[in-house]
Amino acid sequence: MNWSIEILGALALVSQPVADAEQCERELVVLGAGQDAGAPQIGTVLWSTAHESGPRLTPSALGLIDRENGQRYLFDASPAITEQLAMLDEIEPAGQGLGIDGIFLTHAHIGHYLGLAYLGREAAGARGVPVFAMPRMAAFLRENGPWSQLVELGNIAITEMAASQFTTLSDTFGVMPILVPHRDEFSETVGFFIMTPGKTALYLPDLDSWDEFEEKGGQSLESLVEGFDYLFIDATFYDDNELPGRDMSKIPHPRVKATMVRLARLAPDNRAKVHFIHYNHTNPIRDPQSDQSKQVAALGFNVARAGDSFCLD
């Protein structure tokens, strides 16, 4: 199923010229690009040691600024939400309060939802922040503390989403979740299609296997790349040699190196759409000057970095 084409046709969205970043009606911002625990990792005494080298990382999250409607959205609520909202404020200051008009959650692993706690009484004491979640994710929040307290006190208001069904955010753009294979102890795992009249984006920071995804009814990775303008995809590990002494076959994630080999035959303009995100503290692409980062660039791909921004309209 080519979701992107079907949705755009159904909504009769007409492409418009894309403005410069400073004039974007809708702008997508990388707020963090690391794996759930970021870097430096817990237990690291110094910012740079023999086992902990490279720049600081905050967990993966995207911000979407909708200037046309004066709204701002988050994709994932990471433990670094305070810092990440401050980054968003520097680009587009909040109108009132926190200025969060919606949070889209991919799944219930620590880097993707723990930031919700900062909306509670001990911190922001927010009122009715919309949280968009899949049914199991929504039930997990409602039924388990401290998240249930956020619901009971009205700090957050949960809207349940359905797989492959479009959530309209305005009369010109919206978001659709797609199920992906991953460790689902507490919730489903999804990626998000972000659809606007100008450009489309895919945010998919965590999955086990592109082949398994396709076998379960998803599109092939190649067709996804061809169908979207920007893709932020799982780059947890660079290759199978990254964790000495560990059996990495038991830690399923698409390896950056394998993903690049798989997409090597695509045209350069399609390869340039790919932005690797959610990389572990051990992943050498964490360092922009590493040989691996340079190899990613040489092959026509990109490594997402906090602060990167993309004009959607």
Side-chain angles (χ1 to χ4, degrees), residues 71-210:
Q71 296 179 320
R72 308 188 312 174
Y73 299 91
L74 297 181
F75 291 84
D76 280 335
S78 90
I81 191 171
T82 300
E83 179 179 343
Q84 291 173 339
L85 273 182
M87 180 189 302
L88 200 59
D89 287 342
E90 291 181 1
I91 300 169
E92 186 72 18
Q96 290 184 335
L98 295 176
I100 304 174
D101 296 285
I103 300 175
F104 291 85
L105 300 178
T106 56
H107 63 301
H109 287 163
I110 67 169
H112 303 269
Y113 80 107
L114 289 191
L116 293 178
Y118 289 86
L119 303 178
R121 68 187 343 168
E122 297 88 350
R127 298 300 303 169
V129 174
V131 172
F132 296 87
M134 297 295 290
R136 282 187 64 206
M137 180 83 237
F140 178 79
L141 295 175
R142 292 189 183 107
E143 297 168 7
N144 295 277
W147 325 108
S148 56
Q149 186 178 74
L150 299 174
V151 178
E152 293 163 4
L153 296 180
N155 302 127
I156 63 174
I158 297 175
T159 295
E160 289 193 19
M161 307 184 81
S164 302
Q165 292 190 16
F166 201 70
T167 296
T168 301
L169 298 178
S170 76
D171 58 359
T172 53
F173 86 107
V175 173
M176 188 180 83
I178 57 165
L179 290 170
V180 300
H182 190 46
R183 289 185 298 111
D184 291 340
E185 304 96 332
F186 303 119
S187 76
E188 317 88 338
T189 302
V190 296
F192 288 112
F193 291 173
I194 304 167
M195 318 291 290
T196 80
K199 291 186 180 294
T200 57
L202 168 65
Y203 175 58
L204 205 170
D206 255 310
L207 82 159
D208 289 344
S209 161
W210 289 114

Side-chain angles (χ1 to χ4, degrees), residues 7-8 17 23 48 53 59 73 83 128 135 198 221 224 230 235 244:
I7 292 170
L8 286 174
Q23 301 172 332
S48 181
S53 60
Y73 299 91
E83 179 179 343
L221 174 58
L224 285 171
Y230 304 112

Side-chain angles (χ1 to χ4, degrees), residues 221-223 225 233 258-267 270-271 274 276 299 301:
L221 174 58
E222 292 82 354
S223 64
V225 173
I233 61 174
T259 298
M260 292 192 297
V261 170
R262 177 169 180 159
L263 299 178
R265 294 184 180 180
L266 292 183
N270 278 326
R271 278 180 271 137
V274 174
F276 290 112
L299 292 174
F301 301 96

Side-chain angles (χ1 to χ4, degrees), residues 188-255:
E188 317 88 338
T189 302
V190 296
F192 288 112
F193 291 173
I194 304 167
M195 318 291 290
T196 80
K199 291 186 180 294
T200 57
L202 168 65
Y203 175 58
L204 205 170
D206 255 310
L207 82 159
D208 289 344
S209 161
W210 289 114
D211 288 337
E212 186 180 351
F213 170 65
E214 185 176 358
E215 289 168 3
K216 291 186 175 181
Q219 291 177 237
S220 68
L221 174 58
E222 292 82 354
S223 64
L224 285 171
V225 173
E226 291 176 351
F228 285 83
D229 296 291
Y230 304 112
L231 298 96
F232 302 88
I233 61 174
D234 188 340
T236 305
F237 300 114
Y238 187 79
D239 59 27
D240 286 331
N241 303 312
E242 196 169 312
L243 300 177
R246 296 279 299 274
D247 180 359
M248 291 192 65
S249 67
K250 296 181 179 179
I251 316 175
H253 284 276
R255 309 307 192 228

